Amino acid sequence: MAKQERWPGSCPRCGRRQEYSEAFDAALCPHCDEWREGACRDPDCEYCGDRPVRPSLGRELHPRDPALRRAAKLATRPQRPVPKSATVRSKGET
């Protein structure tokens, strides 16, 4: 099974398709410019050790990673508001 198949689906924040960064072995949303999973706490981890706060900032470290290139490209565009229907609600909210 290819690694990209491990993270199918949509971003829980904006509802758009998630992508996978080979360089950082992590799922991300290029539209929200957010990682969809936390980094590990191992400072020597080959994937998380130099992972930037936002995916768009990772393009300088790994310029050939298509997911990071897309995140950097989208980060330079004006942000569109996230539709209310796409936001995640807690159990107590209506």
Side-chain angles (χ1 to χ4, degrees):
M1 176 167 82
K3 285 188 178 183
Q4 289 182 332
E5 293 175 14
R6 289 172 45 192
W7 289 282
S10 302
C11 170
R13 182 170 179 258
C14 72
R16 295 183 179 118
R17 187 176 71 95
Q18 296 183 126
E19 294 192 25
Y20 171 75
S21 168
E22 280 280 334
F24 294 108
D25 190 28
L28 62 96
C29 177
H31 299 276
C32 296
D33 196 19
E34 294 178 349
W35 298 105
R36 293 288 95 204
E37 58 190 337
C40 72
R41 294 194 169 117
D42 180 1
D44 298 324
C45 176
E46 68 179 293
Y47 298 107
C48 301
D50 67 345
R51 190 168 102 170
V53 176
R54 299 221 172 259
S56 61
L57 302 175
R59 182 178 176 212
E60 294 176 14
L61 298 170
H62 300 280
R64 293 183 182 213
D65 188 311
L68 299 177
R69 283 197 320 255
R70 183 163 164 77
K73 181 179 178 182
L74 291 171
T76 61
R77 294 182 181 176
Q79 294 294 315
R80 294 187 300 184
V82 176
K84 286 186 179 184
S85 62
T87 58
V88 177
R89 296 181 184 178
S90 64
K91 291 182 180 179
E93 283 185 299
T94 56

Coordinates of all heavy atoms in Angstrom, one line a residue:
M1 N 0.8 -1.2 0.0 CA 0.0 0.0 0.0 C 0.9 1.2 0.0 O 1.8 1.4 0.8 CB -0.9 0.0 1.2 CG -1.7 1.2 1.4 SD -3.0 1.1 2.6 CE -2.2 1.4 4.1
A2 N 0.6 2.2 -0.9 CA 1.4 3.4 -0.9 C 1.0 4.3 0.3 O -0.1 4.2 0.8 CB 1.0 4.2 -2.2
K3 N 2.0 5.1 0.7 CA 1.8 5.9 1.9 C 0.7 6.9 1.8 O 0.0 7.2 2.7 CB 3.1 6.6 2.3 CG 4.1 5.7 2.9 CD 5.3 6.6 3.4 CE 6.3 5.7 4.0 NZ 7.4 6.5 4.6
Q4 N 0.5 7.4 0.6 CA -0.6 8.4 0.4 C -2.0 7.8 0.7 O -2.8 8.6 1.0 CB -0.5 8.9 -1.0 CG 0.7 9.8 -1.2 CD 0.7 10.4 -2.6 OE1 0.2 9.8 -3.6 NE2 1.4 11.6 -2.7
E5 N -2.1 6.5 0.6 CA -3.4 5.9 0.8 C -3.7 5.9 2.3 O -4.9 5.6 2.7 CB -3.5 4.5 0.2 CG -3.4 4.5 -1.3 CD -3.3 3.1 -1.8 OE1 -3.5 2.1 -1.1 OE2 -3.0 3.0 -3.0
R6 N -2.8 6.1 3.2 CA -3.0 6.1 4.6 C -3.8 7.3 5.1 O -4.4 7.3 6.1 CB -1.7 6.2 5.4 CG -0.9 4.9 5.3 CD 0.5 4.9 5.8 NE 0.5 5.6 7.1 CZ 1.7 6.0 7.7 NH1 2.8 5.7 7.1 NH2 1.7 6.6 8.8
W7 N -3.9 8.4 4.3 CA -4.6 9.6 4.7 C -5.6 10.0 3.7 O -5.5 11.1 3.1 CB -3.6 10.7 4.9 CG -2.7 10.5 6.1 CD1 -3.1 10.7 7.4 CD2 -1.4 10.0 6.1 NE1 -2.1 10.4 8.2 CE2 -1.0 10.0 7.5 CE3 -0.5 9.6 5.2 CZ2 0.2 9.6 7.9 CZ3 0.7 9.2 5.6 CH2 1.1 9.2 6.9
P8 N -6.6 9.2 3.4 CA -7.6 9.7 2.5 C -8.5 10.6 3.2 O -8.5 10.7 4.4 CB -8.3 8.4 2.1 CG -8.2 7.6 3.3 CD -6.8 7.9 3.9
G9 N -9.3 11.3 2.4 CA -10.4 12.1 3.0 C -10.1 13.6 3.0 O -9.2 14.1 2.3
S10 N -11.0 14.3 3.7 CA -11.0 15.7 3.6 C -10.5 16.3 4.9 O -10.6 15.7 6.0 CB -12.5 16.2 3.4 OG -13.0 15.6 2.3
C11 N -10.1 17.6 4.8 CA -9.7 18.3 6.0 C -10.9 18.6 6.9 O -11.9 19.0 6.4 CB -9.1 19.7 5.5 SG -8.7 20.8 6.8
P12 N -10.7 18.3 8.2 CA -11.9 18.6 9.1 C -12.2 20.0 9.2 O -13.3 20.4 9.6 CB -11.5 17.9 10.4 CG -10.0 17.9 10.3 CD -9.6 17.7 8.9
R13 N -11.3 20.9 8.9 CA -11.5 22.4 9.0 C -12.2 23.0 7.8 O -13.2 23.7 7.9 CB -10.2 23.1 9.3 CG -10.4 24.6 9.5 CD -9.1 25.2 10.0 NE -9.3 26.6 10.2 CZ -8.8 27.5 9.4 NH1 -8.2 27.2 8.3 NH2 -9.1 28.8 9.6
C14 N -11.7 22.7 6.6 CA -12.2 23.4 5.4 C -13.0 22.4 4.5 O -13.7 22.9 3.6 CB -11.1 24.0 4.6 SG -10.0 22.9 3.8
G15 N -12.8 21.1 4.7 CA -13.6 20.2 3.9 C -12.9 19.8 2.6 O -13.4 19.0 1.8
R16 N -11.7 20.4 2.3 CA -11.0 20.1 1.0 C -10.1 18.9 1.2 O -9.9 18.5 2.3 CB -10.3 21.3 0.6 CG -11.1 22.5 0.2 CD -10.3 23.6 -0.3 NE -11.1 24.8 -0.7 CZ -11.1 25.9 -0.1 NH1 -10.2 26.2 0.9 NH2 -11.9 26.9 -0.5
R17 N -9.6 18.4 0.1 CA -8.8 17.2 0.1 C -7.5 17.4 0.8 O -6.8 18.4 0.6 CB -8.5 16.8 -1.3 CG -7.8 15.4 -1.5 CD -7.7 15.1 -2.9 NE -6.7 15.9 -3.6 CZ -5.4 15.6 -3.8 NH1 -5.0 14.4 -3.3 NH2 -4.6 16.4 -4.4
Q18 N -7.1 16.5 1.7 CA -5.8 16.5 2.4 C -4.8 15.9 1.4 O -5.1 15.3 0.5 CB -5.9 15.5 3.6 CG -6.8 16.0 4.7 CD -6.7 15.1 5.9 OE1 -6.5 15.6 7.0 NE2 -6.9 13.8 5.7
E19 N -3.5 16.3 1.7 CA -2.4 15.8 0.9 C -1.4 15.2 1.8 O -1.5 15.3 3.1 CB -1.8 16.9 0.1 CG -2.8 17.4 -1.0 CD -2.2 18.3 -2.0 OE1 -1.0 18.2 -2.2 OE2 -2.9 19.1 -2.6
Y20 N -0.4 14.5 1.2 CA 0.6 13.8 2.0 C 2.0 14.3 1.6 O 2.3 14.4 0.5 CB 0.5 12.3 1.8 CG 1.6 11.5 2.4 CD1 1.7 11.3 3.7 CD2 2.6 11.0 1.6 CE1 2.7 10.6 4.3 CE2 3.7 10.3 2.1 CZ 3.7 10.1 3.5 OH 4.8 9.4 4.0
S21 N 2.8 14.6 2.6 CA 4.2 15.1 2.4 C 5.1 13.9 2.6 O 5.2 13.4 3.8 CB 4.6 16.2 3.3 OG 5.9 16.4 3.3
E22 N 5.8 13.4 1.6 CA 6.7 12.4 1.7 C 7.9 12.8 2.6 O 8.4 12.1 3.4 CB 7.3 12.0 0.3 CG 6.4 11.1 -0.5 CD 6.5 9.6 -0.1 OE1 7.6 9.2 0.5 OE2 5.6 8.9 -0.3
A23 N 8.3 14.1 2.4 CA 9.5 14.6 3.1 C 9.3 14.5 4.6 O 10.3 14.3 5.4 CB 9.8 16.0 2.7
F24 N 8.1 14.8 5.1 CA 7.8 14.9 6.5 C 7.0 13.7 7.0 O 6.6 13.7 8.2 CB 7.2 16.2 6.9 CG 8.2 17.4 6.7 CD1 8.0 18.3 5.7 CD2 9.3 17.5 7.5 CE1 8.9 19.3 5.5 CE2 10.2 18.6 7.3 CZ 10.0 19.5 6.3
D25 N 6.6 12.8 6.1 CA 5.8 11.6 6.5 C 4.5 12.1 7.2 O 4.3 11.6 8.3 CB 6.6 10.6 7.2 CG 5.9 9.3 7.4 OD1 5.0 8.9 6.6 OD2 6.1 8.6 8.4
A26 N 3.8 13.0 6.7 CA 2.7 13.6 7.4 C 1.6 14.1 6.5 O 1.9 14.5 5.4 CB 3.1 14.8 8.3
A27 N 0.4 14.0 6.9 CA -0.8 14.6 6.2 C -0.9 16.1 6.5 O -0.5 16.5 7.6 CB -2.1 13.9 6.7
L28 N -1.4 16.8 5.5 CA -1.5 18.2 5.6 C -2.6 18.7 4.8 O -3.1 18.0 3.9 CB -0.2 18.9 5.2 CG 0.2 18.8 3.7 CD1 -0.2 19.9 2.9 CD2 1.7 18.6 3.6
C29 N -3.1 19.9 5.1 CA -4.1 20.6 4.3 C -3.4 21.8 3.7 O -3.0 22.7 4.4 CB -5.3 21.1 5.1 SG -6.5 22.0 4.1
P30 N -3.2 21.8 2.3 CA -2.5 22.9 1.7 C -3.4 24.2 1.7 O -2.9 25.3 1.7 CB -2.3 22.4 0.3 CG -3.3 21.4 0.0 CD -3.6 20.7 1.4
H31 N -4.7 24.0 1.8 CA -5.6 25.2 1.8 C -5.6 25.9 3.1 O -5.6 27.1 3.2 CB -7.0 24.8 1.4 CG -7.1 24.2 0.1 ND1 -7.2 24.9 -1.1 CD2 -7.0 22.9 -0.3 CE1 -7.2 24.1 -2.1 NE2 -7.1 22.9 -1.7
C32 N -5.5 25.2 4.2 CA -5.5 25.7 5.6 C -4.0 26.0 6.0 O -3.8 26.7 7.0 CB -6.1 24.8 6.6 SG -7.9 24.5 6.3
D33 N -3.1 25.4 5.3 CA -1.6 25.5 5.6 C -1.4 25.0 7.0 O -0.7 25.7 7.8 CB -1.1 27.0 5.4 CG 0.4 27.0 5.3 OD1 1.0 26.0 5.1 OD2 1.0 28.1 5.6
E34 N -2.0 23.8 7.3 CA -1.8 23.2 8.6 C -1.5 21.7 8.4 O -2.0 21.1 7.5 CB -3.1 23.3 9.4 CG -3.5 24.7 9.8 CD -4.8 24.8 10.5 OE1 -5.5 23.8 10.6 OE2 -5.1 25.9 11.0
W35 N -0.7 21.2 9.4 CA -0.5 19.8 9.4 C -1.7 19.1 10.0 O -2.4 19.7 10.9 CB 0.7 19.5 10.3 CG 2.0 20.1 9.8 CD1 2.6 21.2 10.3 CD2 2.8 19.6 8.7 NE1 3.8 21.4 9.6 CE2 3.9 20.5 8.6 CE3 2.7 18.6 7.8 CZ2 4.8 20.3 7.6 CZ3 3.6 18.4 6.8 CH2 4.7 19.3 6.7
R36 N -2.1 18.0 9.5 CA -3.3 17.3 10.0 C -3.0 16.3 11.1 O -3.8 15.6 11.6 CB -4.0 16.6 8.9 CG -4.6 17.5 7.8 CD -5.8 18.3 8.4 NE -5.5 19.6 8.9 CZ -6.1 20.3 9.8 NH1 -7.2 19.9 10.3 NH2 -5.7 21.4 10.2
E37 N -1.7 16.3 11.5 CA -1.3 15.4 12.6 C -0.1 16.0 13.3 O 0.7 16.8 12.7 CB -1.0 14.0 12.1 CG 0.1 14.0 11.1 CD 0.2 12.6 10.5 OE1 -0.2 11.6 11.1 OE2 0.8 12.5 9.3
G38 N 0.1 15.8 14.6 CA 1.2 16.4 15.3 C 2.5 15.7 15.0 O 2.5 14.5 14.6
A39 N 3.5 16.4 15.3 CA 4.9 15.9 15.1 C 5.2 15.0 16.4 O 4.7 15.2 17.5 CB 5.9 17.0 15.0
C40 N 6.1 14.1 16.2 CA 6.5 13.3 17.4 C 7.4 14.1 18.2 O 7.9 15.2 17.8 CB 7.2 12.0 16.9 SG 8.8 12.2 16.2
R41 N 7.7 13.6 19.4 CA 8.6 14.4 20.3 C 10.1 14.0 20.3 O 10.8 14.5 21.0 CB 8.0 14.2 21.7 CG 6.7 14.8 21.9 CD 6.3 14.9 23.3 NE 5.1 15.7 23.4 CZ 3.9 15.3 23.9 NH1 3.8 14.0 24.3 NH2 2.9 16.1 23.9
D42 N 10.4 13.2 19.3 CA 11.8 12.8 19.2 C 12.6 13.8 18.4 O 12.4 14.0 17.2 CB 11.9 11.4 18.5 CG 13.3 10.9 18.3 OD1 14.2 11.5 18.8 OD2 13.4 9.8 17.7
P43 N 13.5 14.5 19.1 CA 14.3 15.6 18.4 C 15.2 15.0 17.3 O 15.6 15.8 16.4 CB 15.1 16.2 19.5 CG 15.2 15.2 20.6 CD 14.0 14.4 20.5
D44 N 15.5 13.7 17.3 CA 16.3 13.1 16.3 C 15.5 12.4 15.1 O 16.1 11.8 14.3 CB 17.3 12.1 16.9 CG 18.2 12.7 17.9 OD1 18.6 13.8 17.7 OD2 18.4 12.1 19.0
C45 N 14.2 12.6 15.2 CA 13.4 12.0 14.1 C 13.7 12.6 12.8 O 13.8 13.8 12.6 CB 11.9 12.2 14.4 SG 10.8 11.6 13.2
E46 N 14.0 11.7 11.8 CA 14.3 12.2 10.5 C 13.2 12.9 9.8 O 13.4 13.7 8.8 CB 14.8 11.0 9.6 CG 13.7 10.0 9.2 CD 14.3 8.9 8.3 OE1 14.6 9.2 7.2 OE2 14.3 7.8 8.8
Y47 N 12.0 12.7 10.2 CA 10.8 13.4 9.6 C 10.4 14.6 10.4 O 10.1 15.7 9.8 CB 9.6 12.4 9.5 CG 9.9 11.3 8.6 CD1 10.1 10.0 9.1 CD2 10.0 11.4 7.2 CE1 10.4 8.9 8.3 CE2 10.3 10.3 6.4 CZ 10.5 9.1 6.9 OH 10.7 8.0 6.1
C48 N 10.3 14.5 11.7 CA 9.7 15.6 12.5 C 10.8 16.5 13.0 O 10.5 17.6 13.5 CB 9.0 15.0 13.7 SG 7.6 13.9 13.2
G49 N 12.0 16.1 13.1 CA 13.1 16.9 13.7 C 13.2 18.3 13.1 O 13.4 19.3 13.8
D50 N 13.0 18.5 11.8 CA 13.1 19.8 11.2 C 11.8 20.3 10.5 O 11.8 21.1 9.7 CB 14.3 19.8 10.2 CG 14.0 19.0 8.9 OD1 13.1 18.1 9.0 OD2 14.7 19.1 7.9
R51 N 10.7 19.7 11.0 CA 9.4 20.0 10.4 C 9.0 21.4 10.8 O 9.0 21.8 12.0 CB 8.3 19.0 10.9 CG 7.0 19.2 10.1 CD 6.1 18.0 10.4 NE 5.1 18.4 11.4 CZ 4.1 17.6 11.7 NH1 4.0 16.4 11.1 NH2 3.2 18.0 12.5
P52 N 8.7 22.3 9.9 CA 8.3 23.7 10.2 C 6.9 23.8 10.8 O 6.1 22.8 10.7 CB 8.4 24.4 8.8 CG 8.2 23.3 7.8 CD 8.7 22.1 8.4
V53 N 6.6 24.9 11.3 CA 5.3 25.1 12.0 C 4.2 25.0 10.9 O 3.1 24.4 11.2 CB 5.2 26.5 12.6 CG1 3.9 26.8 13.2 CG2 6.3 26.6 13.7
R54 N 4.4 25.5 9.7 CA 3.4 25.4 8.7 C 4.0 24.7 7.5 O 5.1 24.8 7.1 CB 3.0 26.8 8.2 CG 2.4 27.6 9.4 CD 1.2 28.4 8.8 NE 0.4 29.0 9.8 CZ -0.7 28.5 10.3 NH1 -1.2 27.4 9.9 NH2 -1.4 29.2 11.2
P55 N 3.1 23.9 6.8 CA 3.6 23.2 5.6 C 4.2 24.1 4.5 O 5.2 23.7 3.9 CB 2.4 22.4 5.1 CG 1.5 22.3 6.2 CD 1.7 23.5 7.1
S56 N 3.7 25.2 4.3 CA 4.2 26.1 3.3 C 5.6 26.5 3.5 O 6.4 26.8 2.6 CB 3.3 27.4 3.2 OG 3.3 28.1 4.4
L57 N 6.1 26.5 4.8 CA 7.5 26.9 5.1 C 8.4 25.7 4.8 O 9.6 25.9 4.8 CB 7.6 27.3 6.6 CG 6.7 28.5 7.0 CD1 6.8 28.7 8.5 CD2 7.0 29.7 6.2
G58 N 7.9 24.5 4.6 CA 8.7 23.4 4.3 C 9.3 23.3 2.9 O 10.2 22.5 2.6
R59 N 8.7 24.1 2.0 CA 9.1 24.1 0.6 C 10.6 24.4 0.5 O 11.3 23.9 -0.4 CB 8.3 25.1 -0.2 CG 8.7 25.0 -1.7 CD 7.8 26.0 -2.4 NE 8.2 26.0 -3.8 CZ 8.2 27.0 -4.6 NH1 7.6 28.1 -4.2 NH2 8.6 27.0 -5.8
E60 N 11.1 25.3 1.3 CA 12.6 25.7 1.2 C 13.4 24.5 1.6 O 14.5 24.3 1.1 CB 12.8 26.9 2.1 CG 12.2 28.1 1.6 CD 12.4 29.3 2.5 OE1 13.2 29.2 3.4 OE2 11.7 30.3 2.4
L61 N 13.0 23.7 2.5 CA 13.8 22.5 3.0 C 13.7 21.4 2.0 O 14.7 20.6 1.8 CB 13.3 22.0 4.3 CG 13.4 23.0 5.5 CD1 12.7 22.5 6.7 CD2 14.9 23.2 5.8
H62 N 12.5 21.2 1.4 CA 12.3 20.1 0.4 C 11.5 20.6 -0.8 O 10.3 20.4 -0.9 CB 11.5 19.0 1.1 CG 12.1 18.4 2.3 ND1 13.1 17.5 2.2 CD2 12.0 18.7 3.6 CE1 13.5 17.2 3.4 NE2 12.9 17.9 4.3
P63 N 12.2 21.3 -1.7 CA 11.6 21.9 -2.8 C 10.9 20.9 -3.8 O 10.1 21.4 -4.6 CB 12.7 22.7 -3.5 CG 14.0 22.1 -3.0 CD 13.7 21.5 -1.7
R64 N 11.2 19.7 -3.8 CA 10.6 18.7 -4.8 C 9.4 18.0 -4.2 O 8.7 17.3 -5.0 CB 11.6 17.7 -5.2 CG 12.8 18.3 -6.0 CD 13.7 17.2 -6.4 NE 14.8 17.8 -7.1 CZ 15.4 17.3 -8.1 NH1 15.1 16.1 -8.5 NH2 16.4 18.0 -8.7
D65 N 9.0 18.3 -3.0 CA 7.8 17.7 -2.4 C 6.6 18.4 -3.0 O 6.4 19.6 -2.7 CB 7.8 17.8 -0.9 CG 6.7 17.0 -0.2 OD1 5.6 17.1 -0.6 OD2 7.1 16.2 0.7
P66 N 5.7 17.7 -3.8 CA 4.6 18.3 -4.4 C 3.6 18.9 -3.4 O 3.0 20.0 -3.7 CB 3.9 17.3 -5.3 CG 4.5 16.0 -4.9 CD 5.8 16.3 -4.1
A67 N 3.3 18.2 -2.3 CA 2.4 18.7 -1.3 C 2.9 20.0 -0.7 O 2.1 21.0 -0.5 CB 2.1 17.7 -0.2
L68 N 4.2 20.1 -0.4 CA 4.7 21.4 0.2 C 4.7 22.5 -0.8 O 4.5 23.6 -0.5 CB 6.1 21.1 0.7 CG 6.3 20.0 1.8 CD1 7.7 19.8 2.1 CD2 5.4 20.4 3.0
R69 N 5.0 22.2 -2.1 CA 4.9 23.2 -3.2 C 3.5 23.8 -3.3 O 3.3 25.0 -3.4 CB 5.4 22.6 -4.5 CG 6.9 22.5 -4.6 CD 7.3 22.3 -6.1 NE 6.5 21.4 -6.9 CZ 6.8 20.2 -7.2 NH1 7.9 19.6 -6.9 NH2 5.9 19.5 -8.0
R70 N 2.6 22.9 -3.2 CA 1.2 23.3 -3.3 C 0.8 24.2 -2.1 O 0.1 25.2 -2.3 CB 0.2 22.1 -3.4 CG -1.2 22.5 -3.6 CD -2.0 21.2 -4.1 NE -3.4 21.4 -4.0 CZ -4.2 22.1 -4.8 NH1 -3.6 22.7 -5.8 NH2 -5.5 22.2 -4.6
A71 N 1.2 23.8 -0.9 CA 0.9 24.6 0.3 C 1.5 26.0 0.2 O 0.9 27.0 0.5 CB 1.4 23.9 1.5
A72 N 2.8 26.0 -0.3 CA 3.5 27.3 -0.4 C 2.8 28.2 -1.5 O 2.6 29.4 -1.3 CB 4.9 27.1 -0.8
K73 N 2.3 27.6 -2.6 CA 1.6 28.4 -3.6 C 0.3 28.9 -3.1 O 0.0 30.1 -3.3 CB 1.4 27.4 -4.8 CG 0.7 28.1 -6.0 CD 0.5 27.2 -7.1 CE -0.2 27.8 -8.3 NZ -0.5 26.9 -9.4
L74 N -0.4 28.1 -2.4 CA -1.7 28.6 -1.9 C -1.6 29.6 -0.7 O -2.4 30.4 -0.5 CB -2.5 27.4 -1.4 CG -3.1 26.4 -2.5 CD1 -3.7 25.2 -1.9 CD2 -4.1 27.2 -3.4
A75 N -0.5 29.5 0.0 CA -0.2 30.4 1.1 C 0.0 31.9 0.6 O -0.2 32.8 1.4 CB 1.0 30.0 2.0
T76 N 0.4 32.0 -0.6 CA 0.6 33.4 -1.1 C -0.6 34.0 -1.6 O -0.7 35.2 -1.9 CB 1.7 33.3 -2.3 OG1 1.2 32.5 -3.3 CG2 3.0 32.8 -1.8
R77 N -1.7 33.2 -1.8 CA -3.0 33.7 -2.2 C -3.8 34.3 -1.1 O -3.6 33.9 0.1 CB -3.8 32.6 -2.8 CG -3.2 32.1 -4.1 CD -4.2 31.0 -4.7 NE -3.6 30.5 -5.9 CZ -4.1 29.5 -6.5 NH1 -5.3 28.9 -6.1 NH2 -3.6 29.0 -7.6
P78 N -4.7 35.3 -1.3 CA -5.6 35.8 -0.3 C -6.4 34.7 0.2 O -6.9 33.8 -0.5 CB -6.4 36.9 -1.0 CG -5.7 37.1 -2.3 CD -4.9 36.0 -2.6
Q79 N -6.6 34.6 1.5 CA -7.4 33.5 2.2 C -8.9 33.7 2.0 O -9.4 34.8 2.2 CB -7.1 33.4 3.7 CG -5.6 33.0 3.9 CD -5.3 31.6 3.5 OE1 -6.1 30.7 3.7 NE2 -4.2 31.4 2.8
R80 N -9.5 32.6 1.6 CA -11.0 32.7 1.5 C -11.5 32.2 2.9 O -10.9 31.4 3.5 CB -11.5 31.7 0.5 CG -11.1 32.2 -0.9 CD -11.8 31.3 -2.0 NE -11.4 29.9 -1.8 CZ -11.7 28.9 -2.6 NH1 -12.5 29.2 -3.6 NH2 -11.3 27.7 -2.4
P81 N -12.7 32.8 3.3 CA -13.2 32.3 4.6 C -13.7 30.9 4.5 O -14.1 30.4 3.5 CB -14.4 33.3 4.8 CG -14.7 33.9 3.5 CD -13.5 33.8 2.7
V82 N -13.5 30.2 5.6 CA -14.0 28.8 5.7 C -15.5 28.8 5.9 O -16.0 29.5 6.8 CB -13.3 28.1 6.9 CG1 -13.8 26.7 7.1 CG2 -11.8 28.1 6.7
P83 N -16.2 28.0 5.1 CA -17.7 28.0 5.3 C -18.0 27.4 6.6 O -17.4 26.4 7.1 CB -18.1 27.1 4.1 CG -16.9 26.5 3.4 CD -15.7 27.2 4.0
K84 N -19.1 27.9 7.2 CA -19.5 27.4 8.5 C -19.8 25.9 8.5 O -19.6 25.2 9.5 CB -20.7 28.2 9.1 CG -20.4 29.5 9.5 CD -21.6 30.2 10.2 CE -21.2 31.6 10.7 NZ -22.3 32.2 11.4
S85 N -20.4 25.4 7.4 CA -20.7 24.0 7.3 C -19.5 23.1 7.3 O -19.6 21.9 7.6 CB -21.5 23.8 6.0 OG -20.7 24.1 4.9
A86 N -18.3 23.6 7.1 CA -17.1 22.8 7.0 C -16.4 22.8 8.3 O -15.4 22.1 8.5 CB -16.2 23.3 5.9
T87 N -16.7 23.7 9.3 CA -16.0 23.7 10.6 C -16.4 22.5 11.4 O -17.6 22.1 11.4 CB -16.3 25.0 11.3 OG1 -17.7 25.2 11.5 CG2 -15.7 26.2 10.5
V88 N -15.5 22.1 12.2 CA -15.8 21.0 13.1 C -16.4 21.5 14.4 O -15.9 22.5 15.0 CB -14.5 20.2 13.5 CG1 -14.8 19.1 14.5 CG2 -13.9 19.7 12.2
R89 N -17.5 20.9 14.8 CA -18.2 21.4 16.1 C -17.9 20.4 17.2 O -17.9 19.2 16.9 CB -19.7 21.5 15.8 CG -20.0 22.6 14.8 CD -21.5 22.6 14.6 NE -21.8 23.6 13.6 CZ -23.0 23.9 13.2 NH1 -24.0 23.3 13.7 NH2 -23.2 24.8 12.2
S90 N -17.9 20.9 18.4 CA -17.7 20.0 19.5 C -19.1 19.4 19.8 O -20.1 19.9 19.4 CB -17.2 20.7 20.7 OG -18.1 21.7 21.1
K91 N -19.1 18.4 20.7 CA -20.4 17.6 20.9 C -21.5 18.5 21.6 O -22.6 18.3 21.3 CB -20.1 16.4 21.8 CG -19.4 15.4 21.1 CD -19.2 14.2 22.0 CE -18.4 13.1 21.3 NZ -18.2 11.9 22.1
G92 N -21.0 19.5 22.4 CA -22.0 20.4 23.1 C -22.6 21.5 22.2 O -23.6 22.1 22.6
E93 N -22.0 21.8 21.0 CA -22.4 22.8 20.2 C -23.6 22.4 19.3 O -23.7 21.3 19.0 CB -21.3 23.3 19.2 CG -20.3 24.2 19.9 CD -19.3 24.7 18.9 OE1 -18.6 23.9 18.3 OE2 -19.3 25.9 18.7
T94 N -24.4 23.4 19.0 CA -25.6 23.1 18.0 C -25.4 23.9 16.8 O -24.7 24.9 16.7 CB -26.9 23.4 18.7 OG1 -26.9 24.8 19.2 CG2 -27.2 22.4 19.9

